Amino acid sequence: MRRNLTPMEARIVAVLLEKEATVRDSYPLSLNALCAGCNQKTAREPVMTLGEAEVLAAIEELKSLSLVNEVSGTRVVRYEHNLARVLGVPGAAAALLTMLILRGPQTAAELRLHCERLHRFADVSSVEGFLDELAEKEPPRVRKLPRAPGARESRWAHLLCGDAGLEAASTESAAGGAVDAGLAEEVAVLRAEVHELRGQLGRIAAALGVEL
């Protein structure tokens, strides 16, 4: 691949790969079906609102990169992806890249769950093995992100759009850490207030000769 993809281009390729596995009867996809897949409100992060004209323009760019092929011989023009061949990765790795593009950074366990319809991984360690291979490619195709405050596992992000997606993920992690810290501070304040109120109630009860 000669350059990084734009988020729109990455979304188009990922939707084609996803639909190849999930709606085989409709694949390759028409322009209308492709736009609908790109603009889905569920299982997409971020949600996009793409028009047919801009999707067509992106398709032309992807065709020049050999990532998308136009299928002839039908009454409606249809499109198919060529991701695995261009990147030189197996289907399992392509499935992981697809889910990272469509849903954003995820842990290995989340990827195993979300990839179920594209590729069934035996266990989480199998997912991690393919992720490690993608991270070791030149150039690397994924990166393991620093573990967010309070998180039990690290998340992975794709690099097909360069570092643009990583910056957003880092901002999200920092925001999540700030929220966690703020909640912890608020809980500590509330606990102190409850402790003080209990003390006051105890003193009042003692003055009145009432047993709590």
Side-chain angles (χ1 to χ4, degrees), residues 4 6 10-11 16 22 25 36 48-49 51 55 60 66 71 77 101 103 106 142 150 163 166 179 182 198-199 212:
N4 292 331
T6 67
R11 172 66 60 89
L16 288 172
T22 58
D25 293 342
M48 292 183 173
T49 305
V55 170
E60 290 304 313
S66 301
V71 180
V77 176
I101 293 169
R103 291 175 173 259
Q106 299 158 74
V142 300
D163 290 337
L166 295 182
V179 170
R198 282 178 174 173
L212 294 177

Side-chain angles (χ1 to χ4, degrees), residues 105 145 155 157 164-174:
L145 302 176
R155 297 183 303 165
L166 295 182
E167 292 173 3
S170 298
T171 301
E172 180 185 335
S173 295

Side-chain angles (χ1 to χ4, degrees), residues 19-194:
K19 300 305 182 184
E20 179 186 24
T22 58
V23 288
R24 295 181 184 275
D25 293 342
S26 303
Y27 187 83
L29 298 185
S30 65
L31 177 61
N32 183 266
L34 180 53
C35 286
C38 289
N39 295 334
Q40 272 184 216
K41 304 300 183 185
T42 58
R44 298 290 185 265
E45 180 58 44
V47 172
M48 292 183 173
T49 305
L50 306 179
E52 290 190 358
E54 53 188 335
V55 170
L56 270 176
I59 286 173
E60 290 304 313
E61 289 292 324
L62 291 167
K63 286 164 63 177
S64 71
L65 297 171
S66 301
L67 284 169
V68 169
N69 298 323
E70 185 175 311
V71 180
S72 58
T74 62
R75 288 178 298 175
V76 178
V77 176
R78 295 180 179 273
Y79 303 96
E80 62 183 8
H81 76 88
N82 197 29
L83 178 71
R85 184 177 300 174
V86 170
L87 296 186
V89 298
L96 292 172
L97 287 170
T98 298
M99 285 299 106
L100 289 172
I101 293 169
L102 294 180
R103 291 175 173 259
Q106 299 158 74
T107 66
E110 289 170 335
L111 283 166
R112 184 190 178 208
L113 175 65
H114 294 151
C115 281
E116 185 72 16
R117 293 196 297 169
L118 277 64
H119 182 87
R120 186 165 295 178
F121 292 92
D123 48 37
V124 174
S125 62
S126 176
V127 174
E128 291 172 337
F130 280 104
L131 288 170
D132 287 336
E133 289 181 9
L134 287 169
E136 292 167 3
K137 290 184 73 67
E138 186 54 48
R141 301 305 184 185
V142 300
R143 184 181 299 170
K144 194 173 188 177
L145 302 176
R147 192 165 59 185
R152 297 180 59 184
E153 300 178 53
S154 295
R155 297 183 303 165
W156 293 79
H158 76 88
L159 295 174
L160 299 188
C161 298
D163 290 337
L166 295 182
E167 292 173 3
S170 298
T171 301
E172 180 185 335
S173 295
V179 170
D180 290 343
L183 287 174
E185 182 178 353
E186 185 175 347
V187 168
V189 170
L190 289 173
R191 283 176 174 171
E193 290 179 353
V194 169

